[in-house]
Amino acid sequence: MDSQTSQPSQAPQSPHTFQVDLRGLVDLLSHHLYSSPKVYLRELLQNAVDAITARRAEQPHAPATVRLYAEGGALRVEDSGVGLTESDVHNLLATIGRSSKRNDGLESARSDFLGQFGIGLLACFVVAERIRVVSRSARTPDAAPVEWTAADDGSYTVRTLPHEARTEPGTTVHLVARAGAGEWLSEERVRSLARDFGSLLPYDVRVGDEVIADLPAPWDRPYPSPATRRVALARHCHDLFGFTPLDSIDLDVPLAGIRGVAYVLPSAVSPAQRAGHRVHLKGMLLTERAEQLLPDWAFFVRCVLDTDSLRPTASRESLYEDETLAAVREALGERIRSWLTGLAAGDPERLEAFLSVHYLGVKSLARHDREMLRTMLPWLPFETTDGRLSLEEFAQRHPVVHFTRTVEEYRQVAPIASAQGVGVINGGYTYDSELIEALPSVRPGTVVSELDADTVTAHLDAVDPAEELALSAFLAAARAKLDPLGCDVVLRAFHPLSVPALHLDDRAARHEQARAEAEEQADDLWAGILGSLRGSAPRARLVLNHLNPLIRRISSLNDPELIGTATESLYGQALLMAQRPLRPADSALLNRAFIGLLEWATHTDTGKDDRR
């Protein structure tokens, strides 16, 4: 074989052109890019507004009108914009992905336009089977009107029309509904969508004879007084979002081209619930579900605003995450923060009304913002043994600010600590322990201490050594009974007298307990490993109240079996009073103690009957 024949051909090959299946592309748009067919009207309004913007860039006093007429499953949209020549039609309308905003030197002015991606009229195929465009160019006054007609199978025709077919510059778009989509082109639906998308557009937009634009925006209108403005904004919020706000916050960021308002929700919401905000881009509604507009801590407001700086995604239904959006998010967060500090300084009643509903959001902010924590100290509520107080008021009452990290620990110690005069804050709720620990940084000299089992026990009165020695046999039997459960027994005297026993543990004790349980259930290898992890962690303890009459009677018993049953009963009752979750072993103990007490009571009664 000739060696030359074995070499691949180096001859240049002609490039191929992508073939686009328009039906497939329309399916992609309607099911994946756009959330709803309603976006077709936004695309029509957007094209019309951009055409007017382009014409006014060259002819500042040109008319700025958009008219929509819906009838019999068809829609006609007329604009007084820049219009198109036949060459424009071939280059722009019939070329997927090319935007008119990139044409004829307009690239530098793209910030004035709403559309950026050149998808344009394709969105209309979501509801229409045929699109007809008649346009006359304002840039080439002597050019004849041109007609572009396209079907959803990907075919289109272009022809020039007599000059009298359209005497003024601009464009008219005709849509004919596809089967099953006629409702989207009804006059009522078109009017509703036009109001939703175009209420803030700066041009004369009408459906039939009805004016759509409602300018100036509610937050930019003059009002006779601040109270009148608040009422008007509350009405606007109710019409837009369906609730009457607690308050409204102006969102004015001139450097970012943002004007709008944040409405404070009247009821509490979960911090994990991401609020949807309404964002208009140069007057056109971009999205009503913008979730990344505000910092995470500002989950207690819903916003509506207009901007000319934020970038939309390809679907123009959400915001592009970039440095500009991050800067806007920070600026809007600062506006909300300033509103809060303003309330703290000048309107405490409104602040208290707000915090009674949304204290969690403010706590979230304060844990990262020391200045906000300092400002909110007199206002943020915490659960304490003295009632519901602010950190400032609690710190004024107690030289040492004791707190627990969990709600369970607080429930264990709160009644006893309160009776002993020890103030405790429940730090088990969201953000609370972080804020308590940050207290010394904004209130110098404040001593903050986590309350553990040893601290509580140390505040309880010791029993006279002679009395404790006399009860040594009872205590030994009680300790032997609870030792398998990882719990010690101690005797103390404390108030209130009505509490017979107190179950105390801390995280270290619970960790050791969990390790021991895992060791029992593990195979030899893991049991050895877990056993090596055994440390000197403190165990849980059952503190018996020597002042309680029931404890005095139980401690005088001589029957070891009955002492064991009574000890188990006291242990179970202390667990229930602390509202601690019960382990299987604890549940079994409660059942055993209950049955044991019944048997003992029944046996005692039977003996009395026999003696009779």
Side-chain angles (χ1 to χ4, degrees), residues 2 110 115 136 219 240 250 285 287 317 333 446 470 508 515 566 577:
D2 188 345
R110 287 181 68 205
R136 182 165 188 165
W219 51 85
L240 201 62
D250 285 322
L285 178 66
T287 178
E317 293 188 286
T446 303
R515 187 210 57 78
M577 290 298 293

PDB file of all heavy atoms in Angstrom, residues 2 110 115 136 219 240 250 285 287 317 333 446 470 508 515 566 577:
ATOM      1  N   ASP A   2       0.503   2.178  -0.786  1.00  0.00           N
ATOM      2  CA  ASP A   2       1.249   3.442  -0.861  1.00  0.00           C
ATOM      3  C   ASP A   2       1.150   4.139   0.484  1.00  0.00           C
ATOM      4  O   ASP A   2       0.079   4.298   1.062  1.00  0.00           O
ATOM      5  CB  ASP A   2       0.647   4.307  -1.961  1.00  0.00           C
ATOM      6  CG  ASP A   2       1.506   5.551  -2.226  1.00  0.00           C
ATOM      7  OD1 ASP A   2       2.362   5.856  -1.383  1.00  0.00           O
ATOM      8  OD2 ASP A   2       1.283   6.173  -3.279  1.00  0.00           O
ATOM      9  N   ARG A 110     -26.613  49.777  26.223  1.00  0.00           N
ATOM     10  CA  ARG A 110     -27.452  48.646  26.602  1.00  0.00           C
ATOM     11  C   ARG A 110     -28.051  48.782  27.989  1.00  0.00           C
ATOM     12  O   ARG A 110     -29.059  48.170  28.298  1.00  0.00           O
ATOM     13  CB  ARG A 110     -26.644  47.347  26.536  1.00  0.00           C
ATOM     14  CG  ARG A 110     -26.369  46.886  25.127  1.00  0.00           C
ATOM     15  CD  ARG A 110     -25.596  45.594  25.137  1.00  0.00           C
ATOM     16  NE  ARG A 110     -26.416  44.518  25.640  1.00  0.00           N
ATOM     17  CZ  ARG A 110     -25.928  43.414  26.213  1.00  0.00           C
ATOM     18  NH1 ARG A 110     -24.648  43.282  26.384  1.00  0.00           N
ATOM     19  NH2 ARG A 110     -26.742  42.467  26.624  1.00  0.00           N
ATOM     20  N   GLY A 115     -34.231  44.188  27.704  1.00  0.00           N
ATOM     21  CA  GLY A 115     -33.815  42.903  27.157  1.00  0.00           C
ATOM     22  C   GLY A 115     -32.323  42.872  26.919  1.00  0.00           C
ATOM     23  O   GLY A 115     -31.729  43.844  26.498  1.00  0.00           O
ATOM     24  N   ARG A 136     -41.949  49.849  10.614  1.00  0.00           N
ATOM     25  CA  ARG A 136     -41.378  50.888   9.769  1.00  0.00           C
ATOM     26  C   ARG A 136     -40.282  51.592  10.542  1.00  0.00           C
ATOM     27  O   ARG A 136     -40.476  51.991  11.693  1.00  0.00           O
ATOM     28  CB  ARG A 136     -42.444  51.893   9.334  1.00  0.00           C
ATOM     29  CG  ARG A 136     -41.883  52.970   8.393  1.00  0.00           C
ATOM     30  CD  ARG A 136     -42.957  53.722   7.686  1.00  0.00           C
ATOM     31  NE  ARG A 136     -42.409  54.615   6.663  1.00  0.00           N
ATOM     32  CZ  ARG A 136     -43.119  55.174   5.706  1.00  0.00           C
ATOM     33  NH1 ARG A 136     -44.421  54.936   5.617  1.00  0.00           N
ATOM     34  NH2 ARG A 136     -42.544  55.977   4.834  1.00  0.00           N
ATOM     35  N   TRP A 219     -44.286  54.865  46.641  1.00  0.00           N
ATOM     36  CA  TRP A 219     -43.281  55.368  47.581  1.00  0.00           C
ATOM     37  C   TRP A 219     -42.676  56.707  47.142  1.00  0.00           C
ATOM     38  O   TRP A 219     -41.970  57.343  47.909  1.00  0.00           O
ATOM     39  CB  TRP A 219     -42.177  54.341  47.776  1.00  0.00           C
ATOM     40  CG  TRP A 219     -41.598  53.818  46.488  1.00  0.00           C
ATOM     41  CD1 TRP A 219     -40.599  54.390  45.739  1.00  0.00           C
ATOM     42  CD2 TRP A 219     -41.994  52.640  45.789  1.00  0.00           C
ATOM     43  NE1 TRP A 219     -40.353  53.640  44.629  1.00  0.00           N
ATOM     44  CE2 TRP A 219     -41.188  52.553  44.628  1.00  0.00           C
ATOM     45  CE3 TRP A 219     -42.934  51.653  46.022  1.00  0.00           C
ATOM     46  CZ2 TRP A 219     -41.304  51.504  43.713  1.00  0.00           C
ATOM     47  CZ3 TRP A 219     -43.053  50.612  45.116  1.00  0.00           C
ATOM     48  CH2 TRP A 219     -42.253  50.536  43.976  1.00  0.00           C
ATOM     49  N   LEU A 240     -50.888  44.458  47.109  1.00  0.00           N
ATOM     50  CA  LEU A 240     -49.802  43.754  46.418  1.00  0.00           C
ATOM     51  C   LEU A 240     -49.509  42.395  47.035  1.00  0.00           C
ATOM     52  O   LEU A 240     -49.371  41.394  46.326  1.00  0.00           O
ATOM     53  CB  LEU A 240     -48.537  44.630  46.464  1.00  0.00           C
ATOM     54  CG  LEU A 240     -47.447  44.363  45.434  1.00  0.00           C
ATOM     55  CD1 LEU A 240     -47.980  44.597  44.021  1.00  0.00           C
ATOM     56  CD2 LEU A 240     -46.250  45.271  45.696  1.00  0.00           C
ATOM     57  N   ASP A 250     -38.379  52.760  53.919  1.00  0.00           N
ATOM     58  CA  ASP A 250     -37.942  53.264  52.611  1.00  0.00           C
ATOM     59  C   ASP A 250     -36.614  52.633  52.210  1.00  0.00           C
ATOM     60  O   ASP A 250     -35.681  52.562  53.021  1.00  0.00           O
ATOM     61  CB  ASP A 250     -37.802  54.788  52.650  1.00  0.00           C
ATOM     62  CG  ASP A 250     -39.152  55.489  52.620  1.00  0.00           C
ATOM     63  OD1 ASP A 250     -40.029  55.010  51.907  1.00  0.00           O
ATOM     64  OD2 ASP A 250     -39.310  56.497  53.336  1.00  0.00           O
ATOM     65  N   LEU A 285     -41.698  44.716  35.650  1.00  0.00           N
ATOM     66  CA  LEU A 285     -41.596  43.693  36.684  1.00  0.00           C
ATOM     67  C   LEU A 285     -40.691  42.572  36.199  1.00  0.00           C
ATOM     68  O   LEU A 285     -40.953  41.936  35.176  1.00  0.00           O
ATOM     69  CB  LEU A 285     -42.974  43.138  37.028  1.00  0.00           C
ATOM     70  CG  LEU A 285     -42.968  42.006  38.071  1.00  0.00           C
ATOM     71  CD1 LEU A 285     -42.501  42.532  39.430  1.00  0.00           C
ATOM     72  CD2 LEU A 285     -44.350  41.365  38.193  1.00  0.00           C
ATOM     73  N   THR A 287     -39.337  40.032  38.573  1.00  0.00           N
ATOM     74  CA  THR A 287     -39.700  38.836  39.320  1.00  0.00           C
ATOM     75  C   THR A 287     -40.460  39.245  40.571  1.00  0.00           C
ATOM     76  O   THR A 287     -40.287  40.347  41.094  1.00  0.00           O
ATOM     77  CB  THR A 287     -38.460  38.021  39.718  1.00  0.00           C
ATOM     78  OG1 THR A 287     -38.850  36.879  40.484  1.00  0.00           O
ATOM     79  CG2 THR A 287     -37.497  38.857  40.541  1.00  0.00           C
ATOM     80  N   GLU A 317     -36.347  36.258  35.014  1.00  0.00           N
ATOM     81  CA  GLU A 317     -37.299  36.010  36.097  1.00  0.00           C
ATOM     82  C   GLU A 317     -36.613  35.957  37.460  1.00  0.00           C
ATOM     83  O   GLU A 317     -37.257  35.692  38.463  1.00  0.00           O
ATOM     84  CB  GLU A 317     -38.048  34.702  35.853  1.00  0.00           C
ATOM     85  CG  GLU A 317     -38.960  34.759  34.638  1.00  0.00           C
ATOM     86  CD  GLU A 317     -39.832  33.531  34.533  1.00  0.00           C
ATOM     87  OE1 GLU A 317     -39.301  32.470  34.168  1.00  0.00           O
ATOM     88  OE2 GLU A 317     -41.037  33.632  34.817  1.00  0.00           O
ATOM     89  N   GLY A 333     -29.693  46.047  53.519  1.00  0.00           N
ATOM     90  CA  GLY A 333     -29.619  45.628  54.914  1.00  0.00           C
ATOM     91  C   GLY A 333     -29.300  46.797  55.833  1.00  0.00           C
ATOM     92  O   GLY A 333     -29.836  46.902  56.936  1.00  0.00           O
ATOM     93  N   THR A 446     -19.413  43.140  82.832  1.00  0.00           N
ATOM     94  CA  THR A 446     -20.428  42.113  83.048  1.00  0.00           C
ATOM     95  C   THR A 446     -19.769  40.740  83.092  1.00  0.00           C
ATOM     96  O   THR A 446     -18.935  40.408  82.241  1.00  0.00           O
ATOM     97  CB  THR A 446     -21.478  42.132  81.925  1.00  0.00           C
ATOM     98  OG1 THR A 446     -22.063  43.428  81.851  1.00  0.00           O
ATOM     99  CG2 THR A 446     -22.567  41.101  82.184  1.00  0.00           C
ATOM    100  N   ALA A 470     -26.068   9.538 109.691  1.00  0.00           N
ATOM    101  CA  ALA A 470     -27.134   8.661 110.152  1.00  0.00           C
ATOM    102  C   ALA A 470     -27.920   8.050 108.997  1.00  0.00           C
ATOM    103  O   ALA A 470     -28.537   6.985 109.148  1.00  0.00           O
ATOM    104  CB  ALA A 470     -28.077   9.448 111.063  1.00  0.00           C
ATOM    105  N   ALA A 508     -21.361  17.243  79.451  1.00  0.00           N
ATOM    106  CA  ALA A 508     -20.293  16.268  79.662  1.00  0.00           C
ATOM    107  C   ALA A 508     -20.865  14.967  80.226  1.00  0.00           C
ATOM    108  O   ALA A 508     -20.466  13.867  79.821  1.00  0.00           O
ATOM    109  CB  ALA A 508     -19.232  16.845  80.602  1.00  0.00           C
ATOM    110  N   ARG A 515     -21.694   7.535  75.605  1.00  0.00           N
ATOM    111  CA  ARG A 515     -20.544   6.684  75.320  1.00  0.00           C
ATOM    112  C   ARG A 515     -20.691   5.325  75.988  1.00  0.00           C
ATOM    113  O   ARG A 515     -20.419   4.271  75.384  1.00  0.00           O
ATOM    114  CB  ARG A 515     -19.259   7.363  75.807  1.00  0.00           C
ATOM    115  CG  ARG A 515     -17.976   6.638  75.415  1.00  0.00           C
ATOM    116  CD  ARG A 515     -16.879   6.867  76.441  1.00  0.00           C
ATOM    117  NE  ARG A 515     -17.277   6.457  77.772  1.00  0.00           N
ATOM    118  CZ  ARG A 515     -17.303   5.179  78.175  1.00  0.00           C
ATOM    119  NH1 ARG A 515     -16.979   4.206  77.343  1.00  0.00           N
ATOM    120  NH2 ARG A 515     -17.688   4.880  79.412  1.00  0.00           N
ATOM    121  N   ALA A 566     -38.470   3.166  95.921  1.00  0.00           N
ATOM    122  CA  ALA A 566     -38.726   4.585  96.168  1.00  0.00           C
ATOM    123  C   ALA A 566     -37.700   5.462  95.445  1.00  0.00           C
ATOM    124  O   ALA A 566     -38.034   6.517  94.880  1.00  0.00           O
ATOM    125  CB  ALA A 566     -38.706   4.866  97.672  1.00  0.00           C
ATOM    126  N   MET A 577     -40.208  15.946  85.675  1.00  0.00           N
ATOM    127  CA  MET A 577     -40.297  17.356  86.032  1.00  0.00           C
ATOM    128  C   MET A 577     -39.325  18.197  85.199  1.00  0.00           C
ATOM    129  O   MET A 577     -39.613  19.348  84.862  1.00  0.00           O
ATOM    130  CB  MET A 577     -39.984  17.540  87.523  1.00  0.00           C
ATOM    131  CG  MET A 577     -41.070  16.999  88.445  1.00  0.00           C
ATOM    132  SD  MET A 577     -42.665  17.835  88.208  1.00  0.00           S
ATOM    133  CE  MET A 577     -42.257  19.470  88.806  1.00  0.00           C
TER     134      MET A 577
END
